[in-house]
Structure formats: structure tokens, C-alpha cells
DNA sequence: CTAAAGAAGTTGAATTCTGAACCAATGGAT
DNA sequence: ATCCATTGGTTCAGAATTCAACTTCTTTAG
């Protein structure tokens, strides 16, 4: 199973699965980005909007939002500043913790969300979901969920 | 199946599969990047090295390399410039087409590759492959390969 | 109560990435 | 031969990202 130097290299099946995952993840992000461009949004913009839209009072603490979107506090801070200048979002103080800030969806942000979401979903369907089929979807989830868990716990630690 | 505004939203299974894919792809890239850091390489550096290592004469045309690694010519050009200054790679003219350039692995690049590859493979195993199991791997490939094809052809066109 | 440690966010500089404009060489057409 | 559309690659400017330093507030421990 191992070559003489002791490394457990990937076999052909492993290799092609790994490359498929890699390729899909990059190509897909690219395609989604392209499909959002006409609306003047990036993937990152959109994900922020989704998270805020689904949250109580259309607001989230910066830290939680950073964690939910898997980006650094710094990156999120810049991102929110940009979105503030485009009027999709505003910052608001948190009185229970005076260090804290909320990112809050503006009316304009909410409107944008309602307009763009259907197109985005269509895009996700066209380029991903609808190509999988029901059993493909469940197979995918079954395979990937444990990996996601592993990586999330690893993240907390590291 | 559709809500009143005509949008075919994702159901729960679809949603969770989609999020799993999204999360895994981001978390995994992050983890691999971390595991490469001790060797002073980024994921992008590593992928260039792999491609050149596996190529005839340890060299590839810039265009082909860009296509193989799914990045723009511009980005690759910058990337190679950086790797040239760190001595992993060098540019070399192509006499069959005087516009063309090869990116060529240096001895140092090859050495680096041989040293780092085992660690990288271990990392890919630990955080991905070994969590899937044989059937998970094949299920994943079965699901993702058509998606990859779809996206690649879409890329050529767009 | 106070000091130290930790959490929430921001900032700024350095790096990387993107997209358009650009130059040079090639491959067909006519 | 000569145009002209393409291809291969770089460059520049602007945007996004990272990384470390920093401020402010909160929590914990003594």
C-alpha cells in the first residue's frame, strides 16, 4: 500500500475524487460570481446578505457573522465597510456589550436580497444541484458532512 | 414545488448538501494552506510545483499552466514572477513560438517538491480522503465529475 | 476593588488578485 | 506579400485580502 519512502500516496480513485472536488469548488465559485456580477454583488456580498436576512431583526454581531461566513474579523470589517458605503448594510452599537457592533441589513439591502435571491438560487440549481439528482445530493451530504465537522472542530482548536 | 413568486427554492436536503460542499471547500483550503505554511509554500505555489513536476521536462507553457490550475493568465504571470524570485521556478523562451514562454522547475523547485509532497498528501488524507471511506470516495467522484464537466465546458464558452 | 488576561473590532501597511489595456508574434485570408 | 483577427503573455491601476498592531471594554482572580 505504501511506496518505499513510506508515503501513503493517493491511488487513482482517491486522486480523481480529490481533483473533482477541487475543480468543482473553484469552477463553481467562479461561475456563481459571474452570475452575480450583473447585480453588482460579489459572492461575499451575497453571503453576508443571506446571513443577515435569516437572522433575528436582520442583524448579527460582527464576530458571529465572521464565524458564520468563515472569514477573519479583519476581512469582515473591511467587507462591511464597503457594503456600508454601497448602502446595503449599516453598523449599529450593541448596548449589552459596549465593545460590540451589529451589522444590520438596510432596507436597500433587504430589497436587493429579495431581488437577487431567486436568480442566485437558479444559478446554484443550474450549475450544481440539478446536476446531482436526489441520490447524488444525499450521497454528497453523507460524504461531506463528517469532513465538515472534522474541519470545523479542527478550526476551533488550531 | 415552487412558492408563489415562481422561484424553485432549495429544499432541506438540497440546502444542507450545498452548505456542506461550500463549507468543506473553504475549510479544507484553509487547513491545507496552514499545513503548507511551515514549508513556506502557499496552496497556489504547491499546485504549480505539482503540475510542473508531472510534466515532460519539468516545464509547461504559461497558457497551459494557467488552464491547468484554473487561473487567469494575469494571475499566473504574477505568481510565476514571485516563484521566480524565491527560486522555485524560472522562465524560459520557447523557440517554436517566439511569443511563448515556459515555466520551468528549478533544481531547488524539484527538491522542494520531493520534500513537501509527502506531507501534503498526508494532510489531504487526514482532512479529507481518510474521512470518506472507499464508497464515499467513489460516491463523491460519481456526483462531482458531471458537475466539473458542466462547469468546464461552460467556462470555455463564457 | 484592582490588576491582568481575554474578547470585540478597527486600522494600516504589505501582499495578492482582478480586469482591462497593451505589445509582439502567429496564422490565415485575400 | 499584406491585412487582420487571434493567441501568448505582460503590465498597470484599482480592489480585495492578510497580518500584526492597537484600542476599548469585559471578565476573572486574588
Amino acid at each position: 500500500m505504501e511506496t518505499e519512502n513510506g508515503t501513503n500516496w493517493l491511488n487513482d480513485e482517491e486522486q480523481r475524487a480529490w481533483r473533482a472536488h477541487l475543480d468543482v469548488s473553484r469552477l463553481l465559485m467562479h461561475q456563481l460570481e459571474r452570475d452575480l456580477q450583473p447585480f453588482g454583488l460579489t459572492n461575499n456580498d451575497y453571503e453576508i446578505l443571506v446571513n443577515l436576512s435569516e437572522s433575528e431583526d436582520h442583524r448579527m454581531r460582527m464576530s458571529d457573522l465572521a464565524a458564520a461566513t468563515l472569514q477573519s474579523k479583519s476581512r469582515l470589517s473591511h467587507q462591511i465597510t464597503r457594503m456600508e458605503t454601497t448602502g446595503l448594510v449599516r453598523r449599529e452599537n450593541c448596548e449589552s456589550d459596549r465593545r460590540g457592533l451589529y451589522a444590520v441589513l438596510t432596507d436597500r439591502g433587504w430589497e436587493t436580497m429579495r431581488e437577487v435571491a431567486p436568480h442566485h438560487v437558479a444559478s446554484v440549481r443550474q450549475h450544481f444541484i440539478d446536476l446531482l439528482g436526489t441520490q447524488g445530493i444525499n450521497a454528497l451530504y453523507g460524504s461531506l458532512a463528517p469532513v465538515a465537522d472534522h474541519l470545523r472542530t479542527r478550526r476551533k482548536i488550531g
Side-chain angles (χ1 to χ4, degrees), chain A residues 48-66:
Chain A
I48 304 280
L49 293 184
V50 172
N51 275 276
L52 294 181
S53 297
E54 292 174 348
S55 292
E56 192 73 19
D57 266 342
H58 285 185
R59 76 186 50 218
M60 262 197 206
R61 289 290 297 269
M62 294 295 280
S63 289
D64 298 339
L65 189 50

Side-chain angles (χ1 to χ4, degrees), chain A residues 25-149:
Chain A
S25 83
R26 269 188 297 190
L27 289 166
L28 191 47
M29 283 310 111
H30 240 277
Q31 183 63 51
L32 296 181
E33 193 94 47
R34 286 171 60 100
D35 291 350
L36 280 175
Q37 262 172 21
F39 302 99
L41 295 180
T42 66
N43 276 334
N44 210 354
D45 292 335
Y46 184 81
E47 199 177 4
I48 304 280
L49 293 184
V50 172
N51 275 276
L52 294 181
S53 297
E54 292 174 348
S55 292
E56 192 73 19
D57 266 342
H58 285 185
R59 76 186 50 218
M60 262 197 206
R61 289 290 297 269
M62 294 295 280
S63 289
D64 298 339
L65 189 50
T69 59
L70 300 174
Q71 48 193 328
S72 68
K73 291 165 183 289
S74 172
R75 181 177 171 184
L76 179 66
S77 186
H78 288 301
Q79 173 71 25
I80 292 295
T81 303
R82 267 172 260 145
M83 292 180 77
E84 225 171 359
T85 76
T86 60
L88 296 170
V89 142
R90 69 173 180 283
R91 279 180 238 245
E92 212 169 280
N93 302 55
C94 169
E95 69 277 352
S96 70
D97 183 342
R98 257 174 304 187
R99 294 168 300 184
L101 289 176
Y102 286 107
V104 187
L105 212 53
T106 61
D107 291 350
R108 190 151 157 0
W110 176 239
E111 275 310 307
T112 301
M113 187 58 200
R114 293 188 56 89
E115 184 204 348
V116 176
H119 298 277
H120 181 73
V121 173
S123 182
V124 171
R125 279 207 172 284
Q126 181 188 358
H127 304 305
F128 189 69
I129 294 291
D130 289 351
L131 300 170
L132 293 173
T134 309
Q135 88 295 355
I137 287 167
N138 291 314
L140 197 73
Y141 178 74
S143 303
L144 258 33
V147 179
D149 288 349

